Amino acid sequence: KAGTWVAARRGEGKLAQECRARLTARQLERVDALPYREVVVYSADAALDALEAEVERQQQQDPSWRIFSDHVMKTPWNGAWKAGIWVQSRRGEGKQAQQLRARLTARQLERVDALPYSGVLLSPDAALDALEAEVERQRQQDPNWSIPSGHEMKTGWDEAWKAGTWVHKRRGEGIQVQMWRSRLTARQLERVDALPCGEVMRLSSRVPSRVLT
């Protein structure tokens, strides 16, 4: 356990100082010259606290935001913690996932499973393929159908994907809309703009005539 040996001789703690006191000046120089990176141990509860706070923060800007497998975030133990990998490795039926889940309490498992996790990062082309297929399917029944902002649909990555939200936050002139649009190619922008996008609220045909006059 080479890492443990080095860790016991680096730092400011009492144990480290006792071990260092047994070394010569030259040995101390050699210990301190080793390229050593201290690994900070964090608990499952600390990880879940950070993840839940991140979800709350992100969903204030985008209510449909979900954790993808490549999500990285800043935490007290790591400036670029691979949060998505942490969640991914504890979700699913695989052997590794089951081993890691076995180390969690029942409450921790509930918290892990409650996280809005989407797995593999959703590409714009995959989203657009699904949306165009949905439009074609819906228009077979209603030729005037357009995608309402609250529209949800079943896809390969989500049983109730918020398709309407995905479209609406990429249409318009707002700052956040322009941010999302800047991440798309020219061809993807053409496809987004070609989607029949409905209004947030649509006037019902059953509204009394006095309202319409």
Side-chain angles (χ1 to χ4, degrees):
K1 296 181 179 180
T4 301
W5 190 93
V6 177
R9 289 157 180 82
R10 296 278 284 264
E12 304 298 327
K14 182 178 180 181
L15 176 62
Q17 293 307 305
E18 289 176 353
C19 290
R20 290 175 68 86
R22 301 170 191 165
L23 303 178
T24 65
R26 176 57 184 149
Q27 289 169 339
L28 285 171
E29 288 178 5
R30 295 175 69 187
V31 167
D32 293 340
L34 291 170
Y36 169 71
R37 181 172 64 88
E38 184 179 7
V39 177
V40 179
V41 178
Y42 56 92
S43 67
D45 283 323
L48 288 162
D49 288 345
L51 285 161
E52 289 165 350
E54 176 76 348
V55 169
E56 182 178 4
R57 184 181 70 83
Q58 293 281 358
Q59 289 193 347
Q60 286 176 352
Q61 299 179 352
D62 178 5
S64 65
W65 186 86
R66 302 174 72 83
I67 301 169
F68 290 104
S69 59
D70 67 343
H71 186 63
V72 174
M73 56 186 272
K74 185 177 181 180
T75 65
W77 57 85
N78 192 323
W81 180 51
K82 295 181 178 180
I85 296 296
W86 191 93
V87 178
Q88 181 187 50
S89 64
R90 288 159 179 81
R91 296 278 284 262
E93 302 299 326
K95 182 178 179 180
Q96 183 184 16
Q98 293 306 305
Q99 288 176 344
L100 291 171
R101 289 175 68 86
R103 301 174 189 173
L104 302 177
T105 66
R107 176 58 185 146
Q108 289 167 344
L109 285 171
E110 288 179 5
R111 295 174 70 187
V112 167
D113 292 340
L115 292 168
Y117 173 68
S118 283
V120 180
L121 185 63
L122 172 63
S123 72
D125 285 323
L128 288 162
D129 288 345
L131 285 161
E132 289 165 350
E134 177 74 348
V135 170
E136 182 178 0
R137 185 182 71 83
Q138 293 281 359
R139 286 201 161 179
Q140 288 176 356
Q141 300 178 356
D142 178 4
N144 296 318
W145 187 85
S146 60
I147 304 169
S149 61
H151 185 62
E152 295 185 358
M153 53 187 272
K154 183 177 180 180
T155 65
W157 55 86
D158 196 328
E159 289 291 315
W161 179 49
K162 296 182 178 180
T165 300
W166 191 96
V167 177
H168 279 259
K169 70 182 182 183
R170 289 164 177 81
R171 297 277 286 262
E173 302 298 328
I175 294 175
Q176 187 178 13
V177 170
Q178 294 307 307
M179 177 192 72
W180 284 110
R181 289 176 67 86
S182 68
R183 301 176 184 177
L184 303 177
T185 66
R187 175 59 184 146
Q188 289 167 346
L189 285 171
E190 288 179 5
R191 295 174 70 187
V192 167
D193 292 340
L195 292 168
C197 186
E199 298 296 330
V200 176
M201 296 182 65
R202 304 176 70 177
L203 188 63
S204 172
S205 60
R206 292 175 292 180
V207 174
S209 58
R210 66 176 182 276
V211 175
L212 300 175
T213 58

